């Protein structure tokens, strides 16, 4: 379906099953990526908001400009993360407005009336509007090992590349802490006041400690990551999802589709008919919160309503494409920790 696909990943797999994810604040003992803390060493005195700007992204590409970029165009989720650090972008592409005109969940706290939306759905990117903005830099995430820019259409990527340099933050094959730290470094390089964000980083560390303790106290509780469409229910494996890999490293006991089933989605998910939605015995179900999926309150399937976790009220949201700021990731850890603390063995 997608033109911008990684080697073995499809957009269907990513959208349906939470392919980010879907950040180095936690002790190495948790088993997470050993990211370095602190800001980008490639940029000196970024807070001064003057002088040359240099940033080496996760593709190994170094972008050099005469000054810190002011006209920033970014994937919506990236823009939302930068907003949390005090950096306002000029325009966004990616899920920004819902059909009723409200801010999409991936827009975070941004005032979407104050940004130019040059693309709101997959394969939509207004190159003419982009050019008219005279962009200094384009920033997105990448879900593969080749550096494909998320939500930049394959058909127009070459035209887009000629108009401004790009920066990619990788969410491929790593835990949440790694891209979180990279976004911190990027925001710092753009002149953000990181001292103001330090509290959120501490809260993230505290939440991680709480989640690890909750998982250790309830090892018998089985957690399933799911996503709903009209015809199918998707079960995500933890492999290649930045949030699930991290939660698993903290000790959360996830249901994992078998290798034979996971091959369908390149290690991302298994698709089930609604008649077979009870294949796995879950005590907690984490459901994809993106606007492209059906939310739990709107699932009318009788088989869904009969699931033990649903009947017990042990269903919580999941953000497969987390907004990569510590402030937005704290609730992800806290919600799962609370669910584990309160969970009863029902499956």
């Amino acid at each position: 379906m997608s033109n911008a696909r990684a080697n073995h990943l499809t957009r269907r797999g990513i959208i349906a099953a939470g392919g980010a994810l879907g950040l180095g604040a936690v002790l190495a003992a948790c088993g997470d990526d050993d990211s370095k803390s602190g800001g980008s060493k490639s940029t000196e005195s970024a807070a001064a908001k003057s002088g040359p700007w240099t940033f080496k992204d996760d593709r190994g590409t170094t972008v050099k400009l005469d000054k810190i970029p002011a006209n920033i165009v970014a994937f919506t989720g990236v823009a939302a993360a930068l907003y949390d650090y005090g950096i306002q972008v000029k325009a966004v592409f990616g899920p920004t407005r819902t059909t009723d005109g409200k801010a999409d969940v991936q827009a975070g706290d941004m005032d979407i009336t104050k940004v130019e939306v040059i693309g709101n759905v997959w394969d939509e990117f207004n190159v003419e509007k982009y050019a008219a903005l005279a962009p200094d830099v384009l920033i997105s995430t990448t879900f593969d090992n080749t550096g494909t820019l998320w939500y930049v259409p394959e058909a127009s990527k070459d035209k887009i590349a000629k108009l401004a340099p790009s920066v990619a933050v990788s969410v491929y094959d790593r835990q949440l802490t790694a891209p979180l730290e990279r976004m911190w470094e990027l925001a710092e390089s753009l002149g953000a006041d990181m001292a103001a964000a330090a509290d959120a980083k501490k809260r993230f560390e505290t939440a991680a400690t709480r989640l690890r303790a909750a998982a250790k106290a309830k090892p018998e509780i089985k957690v399933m990551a799911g996503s709903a469409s009209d015809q199918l229910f998707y079960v995500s494996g933890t492999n290649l999802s930045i949030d699930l890999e991290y939660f698993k490293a903290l000790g959360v006991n996830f249901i994992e589709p078998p290798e034979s089933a996971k091959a369908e989605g390149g290690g991302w998910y298994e698709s089930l008919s609604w008649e077979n939605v009870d294949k796995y015995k879950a005590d907690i179900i984490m459901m994809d919160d993106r606007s492209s999926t059906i939310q739990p309150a709107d699932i009318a399937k009788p088989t869904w309503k009969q699931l033990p976790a649903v009947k017990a009220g042990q269903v919580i949201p999941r953000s497969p494409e987390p907004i990569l700021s510590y402030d937005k990731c704290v609730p992800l850890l806290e919600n799962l920790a609370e669910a584990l603390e309160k969970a009863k063995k029902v499956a």
Side-chain angles (χ1 to χ4, degrees), residues 11 36 38 58 66 118 124 126 157 174 190 214 272 285 290 293 295 332:
R11 178 179 178 258
K36 306 297 183 184
D58 290 337
D66 292 337
I118 62 173
E124 180 181 81
N126 192 313
K157 68 176 184 180
R174 60 199 62 198
L190 293 169
L272 301 174
I285 302 175
R290 290 173 294 183
T293 67
Q295 297 307 299
L332 309 184

Side-chain angles (χ1 to χ4, degrees), residues 95-281:
T96 307
R97 287 190 297 253
T98 58
T99 53
D100 58 5
K102 296 180 180 179
D104 189 274
V105 64
Q106 293 192 61
D109 292 332
M110 280 194 303
D111 183 346
I112 62 173
T113 66
K114 293 184 178 180
V115 293
E116 181 85 20
V117 181
I118 62 173
N120 193 59
V121 296
W122 186 258
D123 253 359
E124 180 181 81
F125 191 112
N126 192 313
V127 180
E128 290 73 23
K129 284 186 178 181
Y130 179 61
L133 291 164
D136 294 323
V137 67
L138 179 147
I139 309 174
S140 189
T141 50
T142 180
F143 281 85
D144 61 39
N145 58 4
T146 62
T148 303
L149 294 172
W150 189 229
Y151 265 81
V152 172
E154 180 74 14
S156 54
K157 68 176 184 180
D158 293 337
K159 291 180 181 179
I160 293 167
K162 292 176 181 178
L163 295 169
S166 62
V167 167
V169 175
S170 178
V171 291
Y172 174 73
D173 198 19
R174 60 199 62 198
Q175 294 173 25
L176 185 62
T177 45
L180 249 186
E181 190 66 21
R182 288 297 280 150
M183 193 65 72
W184 171 286
E185 294 172 356
L186 177 59
E188 183 179 40
S189 80
L190 293 169
D193 178 5
M194 306 319 291
D199 177 66
K201 196 170 186 179
K202 290 179 181 177
R203 287 188 289 110
F204 180 88
E205 294 170 359
T206 299
T209 299
R210 177 184 175 185
L211 178 54
R212 189 186 331 134
K216 184 177 182 180
K218 298 278 188 76
E220 74 283 3
I221 298 296
K222 300 281 274 183
V223 180
M224 179 170 68
S227 184
S229 71
D230 184 57
Q231 298 298 320
L232 295 170
F233 183 85
Y234 304 92
V235 179
S236 287
T238 58
N239 187 35
L240 302 182
S241 292
I242 59 171
D243 61 328
L244 302 184
E245 282 196 11
Y246 181 55
F247 299 155
K248 183 178 180 179
L250 292 174
V252 178
N253 184 7
F254 280 101
I255 287 170
E256 301 276 8
E259 290 298 325
S260 58
K262 288 198 295 181
E264 170 192 352
W268 290 79
Y269 69 97
E270 177 184 6
S271 57
L272 301 174
S273 68
W274 283 103
E275 289 75 16
N276 295 317
V277 73
D278 61 350
K279 176 178 179 178
Y280 297 109
K281 310 305 179 185

